[in-house]
Amino acid sequence: MGIVSTIPEKCKRCYTCVRECPAKAIKVEGGQATVIEERCIACGNCVKVCAQKAKLIEDNTRQVREMLDGKRPVFACIAPSFPAAFHPVNPGNVIAGVRRLGFAEVWEVAFGAELTSRQYLGLFESAQRQGRPVIATPCPAIVAYVEKYMPALREYLAPIVSPMIALARVIRRAYGSDVRIVFIGPCIAKKDEIRDPCVAGAVDAVLTFEELLRMFCESSVSLNDLQPSGFDGLRCRLGRSFPISGGLLRSAGLSTDILENNIIVVEGKDRALDALHELQRGKGKARFFDILLCEGCINGPKMMNDLSVFARKEILADYINDQNRYVTQKDLVEGMAAFSDLDLGREFHKPSVALQVPDKDRVEETLKLMKKFSPDDQLNCGACGYPSCREKAIAVCQGLAEPEMCLPYLVDELQGLIKRLERSHNELAQAQQRLVQTEKLASMGQLSAGVAHEINNPLGTILLYSHIMLKQLQDGDPRKQDLQMIVKESTRCKDIVRGLLDFGRQSRVSKTLTDLKELVAEVILLNSPKANTAGVKVKSSFHDPLPQIMLDSGQIKQMLTNLINNAVDATPKGGLVTVGVTMQSQEKSVEIAVADSGCGIPRENLSKLFTPFFTTKQLGKGTGLGLAIVYGIVKMHNGDIRVDSEVGKGTTFTVSLPAATEDAVRESGPAGERQKTGLI
Ligand code: ADP
Ligand code: MG
């Protein structure tokens, strides 16, 4: 794990860290932002901006505790920004707190700053003579950025160690290599700096101010209850101003005149990168670059409190002025003289990790993958963390980003999903309605079959005896008319009962391979007397070739009879009824359409057609069971029925049935050959 990592369950895909990372060191994978260790410069920007607190920083408190519990003396080196970090606690109490934790001595890093300032002054003068640029190197994040991403500028990095390393070298010279040294400051990148082989071995561990505070809490060190204490080691003055932007120059005694163009002081991520890019392009007159990635270390990622940079600067300036009362320039010069020969040099060898820029075609392809087909589609909204859709596409090519990170793309996908959901919701609602109808019909079918069966026998007896009595009566007998009425009405009852029995019977389906052409011809023939009497022609047409289909032929005959009868009933003399059979969607279903040129069906009746006992025919003519029976038969065949009708023009009932053809039945194996029986 690197110095900064992500807590996956806390990451909420806001991509703010992607946007704020100056090193493109954050990769989004499976929607999760992950820090790429070798690309990270440990600047801590992602830690600062993550509202979810999903970034984890390497914790070194345990390591330091183990050092403190060990035999060797442990020296604390405190970064000069500490009075602002622990405000309003008295700085002396913080120093006392550090001692209470068990540190043998507490030194101020500012002394290291004093030493390096002197080196900078020398370097500045020689660079000035040679006319070559210098990039100051106290900020480890800037050093890492140049080494990793701008190797062309590496030669301009000042070959001077940071104040932290300088102080560590001072302590090691004074106390030998046996001591342990812990740096404490607001910077995360320091944890990375001490591992750099070019300076390794000087500092043993780095704690952030936040980690120090945690150690105070864990060890129940109450800062305000302690007696204030002063620093050990050598005294310093302006070196304490290093964490303020321009502090290095002030400490080195270099001019920061606003009319001076050869020195540039830059702070903050964006301006820092701008300055470096400008230098790379060979633009500008500046020759000395004092660059800090944060707005000075007083705005470092682990300063803990919410004070503004200005408030922190004020606190620090007050502290420096106050402390300067106790240390004269002479004290400082004498202190430093002992280390005039200390080696404060360093080299830079971190490998470059600059990414390959993908070719134009690949970027274009990726833009299309992100649904950016034309420049108008490129909203450049920045929601993905990249300033433009093109830069995001480049990041996708480089394996840093995912196409789905795009907000407009997701909104688009979501809308499609909503539409698909709406469609399936409607289909589901329709299917449910059909199911309710089918269930209603099924239970009605069972009930009516039972009732019809019971009524059938007594009704037969009534009919039989009324016929016998009719025969026995003489012509002209006044009772004859009454008996005829009994026979007529009983016959009507018999028709209704037959209808009810048919309705009940549809719940049993017995499918066999059926020749539909033959079946339709037979039904038309059977119904031709009725059609002839009504003066209506019945024609048929068939898909050619028409394979045999698995059907319950008896029920399909009944279905067709009912549809043709209705059509004939609705069609005036001279009209035409057609029965058409077609195969649909690669022989997966067969459609049987019964069309007439009759009176049509008013819109308000359409929804009632399949309800049992709905009829518009006069008493004695219709039972209202024909279409209910048709509906039941269609459903038992897993089919569908639809009606298209226009009043005055005609009606078409189209039945669509799944077509298990002979081939399909054979392919489905021996079981398929058997008759299929379905029961509701
Ligand atoms: P019935 O034929 O006994 O009335 P159905 O269930 O067969 O019962 O038909 C119900 C009603 O649907 C009919 O009374 C009629 O109003 C209407 N109908 C059915 N088929 C047609 C058609 N082809 N043209 C016009 N109306 C029809
Ligand atoms: Mg009918």
Side-chain angles (χ1 to χ4, degrees):
M1 208 162 50
I3 286 164
V4 184
S5 54
T6 306
I7 308 167
E9 53 282 11
K10 282 195 178 175
C11 175
K12 293 282 182 283
R13 309 173 181 211
C14 66
Y15 309 131
T16 311
C17 56
V18 175
R19 191 173 305 122
E20 292 299 322
C21 177
K24 284 192 180 176
I26 295 179
K27 176 182 184 168
V28 177
E29 213 170 18
Q32 293 287 324
T34 327
V35 182
I36 310 168
E37 193 180 339
E38 62 274 17
R39 295 187 61 78
C40 179
I41 57 168
C43 63
N45 263 313
C46 59
V47 182
K48 261 200 215 171
V49 298
C50 182
Q52 306 301 323
K53 307 256 173 287
K55 293 284 183 281
L56 196 71
I57 301 155
E58 187 185 274
D59 182 352
N60 296 103
T61 53
R62 218 172 116 193
Q63 183 196 1
V64 172
R65 277 204 185 284
E66 280 168 10
M67 284 184 202
L68 292 170
D69 291 343
K71 288 202 177 74
R72 292 154 72 181
V74 187
F75 280 54
C77 300
I78 301 190
S81 52
F82 85 99
F86 285 87
H87 181 82
V89 178
N90 179 339
N93 290 49
V94 179
I95 300 166
V98 176
R99 287 191 202 289
R100 179 61 64 86
L101 287 176
F103 285 93
E105 296 205 11
V106 187
W107 286 52
E108 47 184 336
V109 174
F111 185 72
E114 303 279 9
L115 291 174
T116 55
S117 306
R118 199 168 56 185
Q119 300 281 314
Y120 274 105
L121 189 59
L123 180 73
F124 178 74
E125 280 162 1
S126 72
Q128 188 90 327
R129 278 196 302 278
Q130 292 161 9
R132 61 192 296 273
V134 171
I135 303 168
T137 52
C139 173
I142 287 292
V143 173
Y145 188 86
V146 171
E147 288 189 283
K148 289 183 175 186
Y149 302 106
M150 302 183 108
L153 299 185
R154 185 177 293 174
E155 58 172 315
Y156 303 140
L157 287 172
I160 299 172
V161 294
S162 66
M164 168 184 79
I165 300 292
L167 183 70
R169 288 186 183 173
V170 165
I171 296 172
R172 292 210 182 274
R173 169 179 285 186
Y175 292 84
S177 56
D178 204 35
V179 296
R180 299 289 219 146
I181 299 176
V182 176
F183 169 88
I184 304 168
C187 180
I188 296 170
K190 288 282 176 201
K191 289 181 187 272
D192 191 38
E193 183 186 344
I194 62 165
R195 291 180 189 164
D196 187 333
C198 295
V199 294
V203 176
D204 296 293
V206 168
L207 289 181
T208 60
F209 285 143
E210 200 178 74
E211 285 170 288
L212 177 65
L213 191 66
R214 215 167 45 241
M215 285 182 76
F216 286 151
C217 293
E218 283 164 6
S219 301
S220 307
V221 176
S222 171
L223 295 180
N224 289 324
D225 296 341
L226 301 174
Q227 274 297 319
S229 168
F231 278 115
D232 301 301
L234 295 145
R235 317 318 324 269
C236 30
R237 285 173 60 85
L238 288 174
R240 294 189 181 114
S241 63
F242 250 59
I244 302 173
S245 171
L248 185 155
L249 298 174
R250 178 85 170 81
S251 170
L254 287 166
S255 161
T256 50
D257 188 339
I258 52 161
L259 297 179
E260 192 82 63
N261 276 336
N262 59 347
I263 295 179
I264 183 168
V265 180
V266 191
E267 41 170 85
K269 164 178 78 81
D270 296 331
R271 270 172 287 167
L273 300 195
D274 276 354
L276 290 173
H277 285 284
E278 193 141 301
L279 176 61
Q280 182 154 282
R281 284 196 301 270
K283 294 255 170 79
K285 290 183 180 161
R287 286 287 154 248
F288 188 89
F289 292 79
D290 178 15
I291 311 179
L292 299 171
L293 202 74
C294 307
E295 284 163 64
C297 308
I298 47 165
N299 201 31
K302 288 296 164 193
M303 281 296 284
M304 301 189 297
N305 55 38
D306 292 332
L307 294 174
S308 70
V309 183
F310 312 106
R312 287 173 182 164
K313 190 188 157 193
E314 233 172 73
I315 294 165
L316 193 55
D318 285 348
Y319 175 72
I320 296 169
N321 289 328
D322 179 54
Q323 292 296 308
N324 281 352
R325 287 188 293 136
Y326 309 110
V327 188
T328 63
Q329 189 62 25
K330 188 168 161 273
D331 296 337
L332 178 66
V333 172
E334 276 171 18
M336 282 169 57
F339 299 94
S340 56
D341 60 335
L342 187 71
D343 175 17
L344 295 176
R346 64 160 296 180
E347 291 176 354
F348 302 95
H349 294 303
K350 253 192 206 125
S352 158
V353 288
L355 287 165
Q356 280 245 302
V357 180
D359 65 49
K360 220 174 143 226
D361 289 351
R362 237 187 110 201
V363 176
E364 290 302 324
E365 258 171 50
T366 312
L367 277 168
K368 282 186 192 132
L369 198 76
M370 288 155 46
K371 299 198 173 171
K372 314 286 173 206
F373 301 104
S374 72
D376 285 351
D377 296 331
Q378 297 177 29
L379 300 185
N380 301 329
C381 66
C384 58
Y386 290 89
S388 70
C389 296
R390 186 162 290 275
E391 285 197 44
K392 150 86 182 304
I394 292 172
V396 172
C397 297
Q398 291 169 332
L400 295 176
E402 291 176 325
E404 299 80 23
M405 282 161 63
C406 174
L407 197 64
Y409 170 97
L410 283 180
V411 170
D412 220 45
E413 286 277 292
L414 210 66
Q415 275 168 348
L417 192 73
I418 290 170
K419 274 197 192 122
R420 286 202 295 279
L421 262 169
E422 234 168 53
R423 218 176 301 132
S424 79
H425 174 79
N426 287 344
E427 277 169 14
L428 214 68
Q430 279 170 14
Q432 197 181 16
Q433 212 178 356
R434 281 201 296 267
L435 202 72
V436 170
Q437 179 83 342
T438 312
E439 274 182 12
K440 204 163 78 184
L441 288 177
S443 55
M444 278 184 78
Q446 278 171 3
L447 180 73
S448 47
V451 174
H453 188 75
E454 291 303 316
I455 293 175
N456 213 17
N457 291 343
L459 203 59
T461 315
I462 294 170
L463 263 175
L464 178 72
Y465 281 94
S466 23
H467 271 294
I468 293 172
M469 283 168 78
L470 253 183
K471 271 190 190 160
Q472 287 171 352
L473 288 184
Q474 301 292 321
D475 282 350
D477 190 316
R479 288 170 301 172
K480 200 162 181 174
Q481 221 180 341
D482 296 346
L483 264 175
Q484 272 166 343
M485 180 61 88
I486 292 175
V487 169
K488 194 178 152 213
E489 288 302 292
S490 305
T491 311
R492 197 159 79 83
C493 285
K494 192 108 186 130
D495 285 345
I496 296 173
V497 166
R498 194 180 325 117
L500 284 174
L501 281 171
D502 287 341
F503 182 55
R505 218 172 285 136
Q506 326 137 24
S507 56
R508 273 175 223 101
V509 180
S510 177
K511 289 184 187 173
T512 50
L513 273 177
T514 308
D515 184 335
L516 250 186
K517 202 168 176 179
E518 229 172 61
L519 185 145
V520 171
E522 198 185 322
V523 175
I524 292 177
L525 191 71
L526 274 171
N527 290 289
S528 57
K530 177 174 167 141
N532 289 342
T533 315
V536 174
K537 259 195 177 162
V538 184
K539 280 188 171 178
S540 57
S541 69
F542 299 95
H543 189 275
D544 193 25
L546 190 63
Q548 291 208 327
I549 290 163
M550 291 294 289
L551 296 169
D552 182 321
S553 57
Q555 290 202 3
I556 298 296
K557 267 188 213 167
Q558 166 95 63
M559 176 194 90
L560 272 174
T561 304
N562 291 3
L563 290 176
I564 293 172
N565 271 336
N566 280 349
V568 170
D569 282 346
T571 309
K573 200 169 175 182
L576 178 68
V577 172
T578 52
V579 182
V581 182
T582 48
M583 295 301 292
Q584 300 293 319
S585 44
Q586 294 163 336
E587 308 211 336
K588 286 227 172 74
S589 68
V590 61
E591 269 192 9
I592 308 169
V594 178
D596 63 57
S597 56
C599 58
I601 305 168
R603 183 178 282 269
E604 65 273 17
N605 285 351
L606 283 173
S607 60
K608 303 176 210 159
L609 290 180
F610 301 105
T611 311
F613 303 109
F614 171 75
T615 181
T616 56
K617 291 172 191 170
Q618 36 172 264
L619 201 68
K621 286 267 162 115
T623 59
L625 284 169
L627 285 181
I629 291 169
V630 167
Y631 188 87
I633 293 172
V634 172
K635 287 295 141 194
M636 284 313 297
H637 279 77
N638 293 325
D640 242 320
I641 182 162
R642 60 172 198 274
V643 197
D644 300 296
S645 185
E646 207 176 317
V647 174
K649 289 210 167 157
T651 304
T652 304
F653 280 86
T654 309
V655 174
S656 141
L657 302 172
T661 61
E662 202 169 0
D663 289 346
V665 171
R666 202 171 311 118
E667 272 166 28
S668 73
E673 301 271 8
R674 273 188 255 125
Q675 286 200 341
K676 292 194 175 155
T677 303
L679 280 171
I680 285 181

